[in-house]
Amino acid sequence: MVLLLDHDDEGSLGVVLNRPTPVTVGDVLASWADLAGEPGVVFQGGPVSLDAALGVAVIPGDEGPLGWRRVHGAIGVVDLEAPPELLGPALGSLRIFAGYAGWGPGQLETELGDGAWYVVESEPGDVSSPTPETLWRQVLRRQRGELAMVATYPDDPSLN
């Protein structure tokens, strides 16, 4: 499940929300560890730049602090170079991602046209789900029609 963070003429960028790693945030970004939501691990954000960290946080309200850029609703990207104490009091939740998912110009549009992706609205709780392993099914279950049925499919269709 990918949360799209940027989309423009130069391409698209997102993070995979449901791939926790065994690495704790404290192991790689100790100063942010106390602000990271459960399960408190780094997530594999995608196949690109796995050695780079990206923070995504939910900050309720109309205004966010310096070091945070709104993406959609209460969801935004955190500048991990900013002092954590600047953002800490405002954070509703924080997730740290190693790497990201990226598409070149027009690539995502082509994949969408081919039916390779389901497109649904995100909710702030998706970013901070304490049970990321069930997130894909949870998000599909709240959709209407056929997508809600997809949530009931077995992980391995050959078992059906």
Side-chain angles (χ1 to χ4, degrees), residues 1 19 33 37 39 46 55 63 65 82 86-87 91 100 105 107 123 127:
M1 163 166 301
R19 282 198 193 144
E63 297 284 324
L86 248 180
L87 290 111
L91 288 180
Y100 62 90
Q107 182 182 0
E123 293 182 2
V127 173

Side-chain angles (χ1 to χ4, degrees), residues 7-48:
H7 176 75
D8 59 27
D9 293 340
E10 296 178 24
S12 303
L13 178 139
V15 290
V16 178
L17 295 177
N18 56 341
R19 282 198 193 144
T21 72
V23 178
T24 69
V25 173
D27 290 340
V28 293
L29 290 170
S31 61
W32 290 95
D34 290 341
L35 299 173
E38 288 301 320
V41 298
V42 175
F43 284 68
Q44 183 177 342
V48 182

Side-chain angles (χ1 to χ4, degrees), residues 54-150:
L54 191 139
V56 176
V58 173
I59 296 183
D62 296 330
E63 297 284 324
L66 289 174
W68 180 79
R69 180 181 56 83
R70 185 178 310 279
V71 172
H72 176 72
I75 301 168
V77 177
V78 173
D79 177 1
L80 295 174
E81 298 294 321
E85 48 282 353
L86 248 180
L87 290 111
L91 288 180
S93 67
L94 170 69
R95 258 300 130 81
I96 303 295
F97 297 90
Y100 62 90
W103 296 265
Q107 182 182 0
L108 184 57
E109 290 86 346
T110 299
E111 291 179 13
L112 288 169
D114 292 343
W117 295 96
Y118 297 128
V119 178
V120 299
E121 285 290 320
S122 64
E123 293 182 2
D126 296 342
V127 173
S128 58
S129 172
T131 56
E133 60 281 350
T134 63
L135 182 60
W136 187 79
R137 290 186 192 281
Q138 290 171 14
V139 170
L140 288 178
R141 223 175 274 123
R142 73 176 183 238
Q143 306 308 310
R144 299 191 189 281
E146 183 181 322
L147 282 183
M149 288 297 297
V150 173

